[in-house]
Amino acid sequence: MINGANLIADANIYLLGHHFLDIPCFLLQRKFGQGISEEVKTNFKAWHKRWQEASTTELVPLPLPKTFRAKHNLKALRDYRRPAPPDFWNNFPVNLSKPAKSLVSADKLEAMALSVGTVDKQMLEKVLFDLRFGAKIGCKSPYRLPSRATNAPSAYEDGEKVTDAICDWVKKGFAFGPVDKDQVPAGAKLSGIMTRSKPDGSVRIILNLSSPAGKAVNEGISSEDFPTTMSSTSKWLRALNKAGRFCLISKCDWSDAYKHVAVHHEDLHLQWFSWLGRYFCELCLVFGCVSSAGIYDRLAKVVLQIILHRSGMDPSMVIQHLDDVCAAAPAGSDALYRFDAEYFNVSEALGVKLAPRDDPKKSFGPSTSGVVLGVFYDTEAWTWAMPEEKLLRLLHDLKEVVDADSMQQERVWSIVGKIINVKPLVPGGHYNLYHLIKANSFSSDPKVGVPLDADLKRQAWFWLTALQVCSGKAKIPDPDRSLPAWSVDVFTDAAGGSWRTKGQGVGAVGPGFWVIMPWGRAINAGRPTGDGRKLDRIMSALELMGPLLALSAAAKQLRGKPVRFHVDNAGSVFIFKKGYSSSCKFSTAIVAAIASVAAGLGCTVDLVKITRCSNDGANLADALSKGAMSRFWELVEDSDFILPLEPEVVPGPIVCWATNPQPDFDLGEKILRHLAGELEVLGHSF
C-alpha cells in the first residue's frame, strides 16, 4: 500500500504523508472529501523543508574508533604475521580437553519440553542429539579431506584483538590449544581466519570455511539441511501495532550464542586454524560455517517454545532473530513481565548464558523504549530512530556510494543488508531498492568491484536523505494497514500485444470514468526487452500499466482519495507490494511510477488480486483491454456503473511510453509534471 502524501521526485521521496499525521487518514477523508486536504499540504511543506535541509547539509564526521581494551594481559607483538617468541606462550592459557561439552543441559531441556508437551518433537530430537553428542555440521566427502588456507589480512591488521579473543576462547573451553604442528591430526583441515569489527572496539573472528575453493568445508554442506528462520522488522512492527501505543517491549540476548553447542568429535578436524605459529581447534559452532546458524536456531526455538508455554505469552507478540528474543505487550498488562521472568528462569535452569542488562543495546527488561533489530523504538512517542552512531556510519557509507565509481562487493552486501533491515520503516522505501538489489547480487566474489551507475547513486541518495529525515521523526508504521471501507474501487485489465488484433491494449473503469489505451507498434510487434523476453508477453508490466493509466487519466476524480485497484494478474500484485521485480525492469519502473503519481495526488492506493471476469467491473475492464467497445457498452447497460460517453484523456507521457516502451524510472515524474498543468500536484504546485 502506498501512502499518497509521500512524494517520489527525482528518485527522492518527500516524506509527508499520513504516516506522519496525528489525524488518521480516514478522518481526513471524511472531513475534507475530495482533493488534497490542507493538513496534507501543510505536512508536505514541513517534510519537504526537512528533506531539503537533509539533502544539502554536510554529514558530521565519524567518531573516532572506540579504544580497544584487552580482556587478558598478553604481551603486544610488533608483527602478528610471524610466530610469537617462546616466552609469549608462558602467559597464554592452555586447553587440551577435546571434545567440548555443550553449555545447555540436554536432560533438563528434555524434561522441560516433555512437561509442556507443545515442543516440535522432531526438532527436539535433533537438539538433544546435538547437546549430548555434539552437533554434526553436515560436511560430506570429499570436502572433509585435508586442506590448508591462509589467514586474511584483516586478521593480522587486528592482531592484538584476534590474539585476545583466541585467548578468551581457550580460557572458556571453546577452543583446543595452543599446540605445535606435530600435534595437529594428520587429517585436519586448516582454515584461515578473518575479522569483523564490533561496536566495542573488539573483533569477531570468523573461521573462513569457504576457502580454499574446491576443497572448502562449506562446499560440502547443504544449507537446506540446516534451515534458519530469521525474523524481520515487518514482523516486529506487526507485534508493536498489535500491542498498541504505550506498549512495553523487552529483549533477551544469548551471550556467546554459538558456543552453547559443542561440535561432534568426528567433525572437529574440520575446524583447525593457526595463529602466531601455534595451532588451535574450535570445539563449538563457529562463525563462518554454513550450518552453524541452523544448528543454533533449532536450539533457540525449542527453548523459546518452552518459555512461551510456561509464561502463557502470545507467540505473535514475540520474535526471535538468532540470539535475540524480543517481545511486546499492551500497556497495563503483566504478560511481558511474566514472559521476561520466565525467560531468565528457564535459561538459568538449562545453562543458557544471557547477556547482562548493563548494556541496553544488548538486553533490557520491560520498557517503553529500546533497541530491537538495530532500531530504537519509543512506544510513548510512537517513533523509531536508528542509534546515532549506527545511523552516521550508514550515512557515510551511502555518501561513499554516491561519490564513488565502484565499490567492493562485500561493502555493497553490508550496506544493502542494513537498508533492507530499515526498509519497512521508511515510507516508499521498497520502491527505492531495485538498483541496490541488483548491485547486491553483482558477484559472489566479495573482493570484486561493483560499478556504481547513475540509477544506483540516485537510490543511494534517496536513502542518504530519507534516513536523516525519518529517523527520530517518523511514526512507527503498520505494515498491514488496509484501506478504509469507502475506498474507490477501480478495475483494470491488460491484453498482450498482437498484430492480429491491434485494438488490444489496457483499460480501466471506476465510478464515473473509464479510460482505454491501445498498444503501440513496439508492443504489438513483440520487440525484445533485452532480457530474453518480448514486449508483447511481459504481462506483469502490461497489467501494471492499468493502475498507472487509471490514476493518471482520472487524476481529478481520484485525487486525495484511497483507491483500491482490482487486477487479475497475481504477479503484478506481488511486484507492487514488494516494490520491485528482480527479473523485470519494466515492472519495477511502472511500480515506481504508480507510487510517484499516487504520492503527488495525495492518494493512498493498493492493488488486490481478483479472478478474471469475476464481476461487472472486471468484465468491463476486460472488454476495454480487448478493444471490444460494443461488448463494453452492452455490459455497461447491464451493470450498476454510470459512465460518460467519452473516455478520460490519456496523459501524453503514458502515450509516449506506449509508443516506445522503456524501463523509465522518471516516468512518474513526467506524468506529475504533465498533470501539474491542470490540477494541484504535491511537489509541483506547492
Side-chain angles (χ1 to χ4, degrees):
M1 188 174 66
I2 300 167
N3 192 301
N6 305 326
L7 178 64
I8 304 175
D10 296 328
N12 300 328
I13 267 190
Y14 294 80
L15 304 149
L16 337 153
H18 305 312
H19 286 286
F20 309 106
L21 297 177
D22 292 328
I23 304 174
C25 174
F26 71 89
L27 290 180
L28 287 176
Q29 298 295 342
R30 284 180 173 176
K31 186 175 180 180
F32 296 100
Q34 296 186 19
I36 302 174
S37 73
E38 292 301 320
E39 271 77 357
V40 170
K41 295 176 186 178
T42 300
N43 275 270
F44 170 83
K45 294 174 182 178
W47 285 94
H48 185 214
K49 182 181 179 181
R50 292 181 183 177
W51 185 275
Q52 289 180 314
E53 291 173 349
S55 62
T56 56
T57 303
E58 289 290 326
L59 297 177
V60 300
L62 286 169
L64 294 173
K66 291 188 178 179
T67 303
F68 168 69
R69 290 184 173 83
K71 296 180 181 178
H72 307 280
N73 187 26
L74 298 173
K75 179 182 177 182
L77 302 176
R78 300 178 70 178
D79 187 357
Y80 285 88
R81 289 175 171 80
R82 299 177 178 275
D87 63 339
F88 173 84
W89 300 103
N90 294 338
N91 295 325
F92 203 96
V94 177
N95 176 34
L96 301 180
S97 299
K98 199 171 58 165
K101 183 180 179 182
S102 296
L103 298 179
V104 179
S105 169
D107 291 343
K108 291 181 180 179
L109 182 69
E110 183 177 26
M112 283 189 181
L114 294 176
S115 69
V116 302
T118 58
V119 175
D120 184 318
K121 298 297 191 296
Q122 188 175 6
M123 186 182 294
L124 177 62
E125 288 179 7
K126 292 179 180 178
V127 169
L128 293 175
F129 179 93
D130 294 342
L131 297 178
R132 285 175 172 139
F133 307 106
K136 292 186 176 184
I137 66 174
C139 182
K140 298 178 176 61
S141 186
Y143 301 98
R144 299 178 64 87
L145 297 176
S147 63
R148 187 180 184 103
T150 57
N151 296 327
S154 63
Y156 300 118
E157 293 166 6
D158 296 317
E160 183 182 3
K161 301 175 183 179
V162 169
T163 306
D164 191 67
I166 295 173
C167 179
D168 199 55
W169 283 356
V170 173
K171 195 170 183 178
K172 291 178 178 178
F174 299 156
F176 173 90
V179 297
D180 294 323
K181 187 176 182 179
D182 59 4
Q183 294 174 275
V184 178
K189 294 179 79 73
L190 284 169
S191 297
I193 58 175
M194 52 189 182
T195 62
R196 292 290 184 272
S197 297
K198 297 171 71 174
D200 63 357
S202 65
V203 296
R204 171 173 286 124
I205 298 177
I206 300 171
L207 191 62
N208 185 10
L209 299 186
S210 296
S211 182
K215 300 179 180 179
V217 171
N218 282 340
E219 294 178 45
I221 303 174
S222 173
S223 59
E224 294 179 358
D225 295 336
F226 302 92
T228 306
T229 305
M230 298 288 188
S231 192
S232 66
T233 300
S234 293
K235 291 180 181 178
W236 176 243
L237 291 176
R238 291 186 180 97
L240 280 181
N241 279 277
K242 188 174 180 179
R245 192 165 182 174
F246 303 106
C247 66
L248 295 175
I249 60 177
S250 70
K251 180 168 72 173
C252 296
D253 177 51
W254 290 39
S255 181
D256 295 319
Y258 280 9
K259 306 311 177 187
H260 281 73
V261 184
V263 168
H264 196 278
H265 67 91
E266 293 179 356
D267 288 344
L268 289 179
H269 74 284
L270 305 173
Q271 301 191 163
W272 282 83
F273 65 94
S274 65
W275 186 248
L276 299 178
R278 298 291 177 93
Y279 296 83
F280 301 83
C281 176
E282 286 210 55
L283 303 176
C284 305
L285 298 179
V286 304
F287 282 99
C289 181
V290 166
S291 57
S292 289
I295 294 170
Y296 167 78
D297 187 60
R298 63 196 183 199
L299 167 62
K301 279 185 167 51
V302 168
V303 173
L304 180 58
Q305 288 173 10
I306 293 170
I307 295 167
L308 286 171
H309 182 89
R310 290 169 62 119
S311 66
M313 186 70 170
D314 180 354
S316 68
M317 307 302 287
V318 181
I319 66 164
Q320 179 223 331
H321 190 77
L322 278 183
D323 55 337
D324 285 346
V325 175
C326 311
S333 168
D334 66 348
L336 191 62
Y337 291 99
R338 287 188 281 107
F339 174 79
D340 193 65
E342 197 64 45
Y343 205 102
F344 272 81
N345 292 336
V346 170
S347 297
E348 184 178 16
L350 294 177
V352 174
K353 296 187 176 186
L354 297 178
R357 285 191 157 164
D358 55 358
D359 183 0
K361 293 179 182 178
K362 284 187 166 293
S363 179
F364 59 89
S367 171
T368 56
S369 62
V371 176
V372 175
L373 300 181
V375 176
F376 178 82
Y377 294 91
D378 184 336
T379 68
E380 291 187 9
W382 203 245
T383 57
W384 64 271
M386 290 187 68
E388 184 176 353
E389 185 174 333
K390 186 174 182 177
L391 172 62
L392 187 58
R393 293 190 181 281
L394 179 54
L395 294 178
H396 276 271
D397 286 342
L398 289 166
K399 184 65 165 56
E400 185 179 346
V401 175
V402 172
D403 294 339
D405 294 324
S406 67
M407 178 177 285
Q408 280 193 343
Q409 182 69 77
E410 60 182 349
R411 289 284 319 280
V412 175
W413 290 338
S414 174
I415 295 169
V416 175
K418 295 172 183 176
I419 294 297
I420 294 288
N421 184 50
V422 297
K423 169 197 68 173
L425 295 164
V426 176
H430 57 309
Y431 299 104
N432 281 271
L433 282 176
Y434 174 78
H435 300 290
L436 289 166
I437 296 295
K438 284 293 185 184
N440 201 54
S441 56
F442 181 79
S443 173
S444 59
D445 186 344
K447 302 302 181 183
V448 164
V450 180
L452 307 176
D453 60 23
D455 287 329
L456 177 62
K457 290 175 182 290
R458 289 172 67 184
Q459 288 196 337
W461 183 259
F462 161 77
W463 285 102
L464 176 64
T465 309
L467 288 173
Q468 295 179 76
V469 172
C470 288
S471 182
K473 306 178 187 71
K475 300 295 183 183
I476 298 173
D478 181 356
D480 299 320
R481 189 177 70 182
S482 59
L483 294 178
W486 57 89
S487 298
V488 178
D489 290 304
V490 178
F491 299 85
T492 72
D493 200 5
S498 172
W499 273 118
R500 295 181 181 275
T501 51
K502 295 184 180 180
Q504 293 191 161
V506 57
V509 61
F513 75 87
W514 62 283
V515 61
I516 183 173
M517 182 181 69
W519 299 132
R521 182 188 300 268
I523 294 176
N524 283 330
R527 193 184 73 193
T529 62
D531 59 3
R533 296 177 300 167
K534 295 182 177 181
L535 283 174
D536 60 331
R537 303 318 304 162
I538 53 170
M539 291 310 301
S540 290
L542 299 181
E543 292 280 5
L544 283 167
M545 284 301 298
L548 181 60
L549 174 66
L551 198 59
S552 306
K556 291 181 180 179
Q557 296 94 320
L558 300 178
R559 179 178 54 160
K561 296 180 180 179
V563 184
R564 183 181 295 106
F565 291 103
H566 298 259
V567 182
D568 66 9
N569 184 284
S572 300
V573 175
F574 177 80
I575 294 168
F576 173 82
K577 293 184 182 299
K578 186 179 180 182
Y580 65 92
S581 168
S582 301
S583 59
C584 182
K585 272 190 175 183
F586 287 85
S587 295
T588 301
I590 296 169
V591 161
I594 295 172
S596 180
V597 175
L601 297 177
C603 292
T604 305
V605 307
D606 196 12
L607 265 66
V608 295
K609 167 68 171 65
I610 61 169
T611 303
R612 180 178 177 273
C613 295
S614 55
N615 55 49
D616 288 346
N619 284 325
L620 289 169
D622 178 75
L624 289 174
S625 73
K626 292 178 171 60
M629 299 311 300
S630 296
R631 177 170 168 260
F632 172 75
W633 287 113
E634 290 174 0
L635 292 169
V636 171
E637 291 182 6
D638 294 332
S639 73
D640 294 328
F641 283 82
I642 301 174
L643 300 176
L645 292 177
E646 297 295 325
E648 300 298 325
V649 177
V650 181
I654 295 184
V655 175
C656 291
W657 184 92
T659 303
N660 183 28
Q662 299 288 339
D664 184 359
F665 290 92
D666 288 326
L667 179 59
E669 275 303 293
K670 293 175 181 177
I671 295 171
L672 287 175
R673 286 195 292 269
H674 176 88
L675 294 177
E678 302 176 6
L679 72 164
E680 292 181 332
V681 175
L682 293 173
H684 295 269
S685 307
F686 305 99

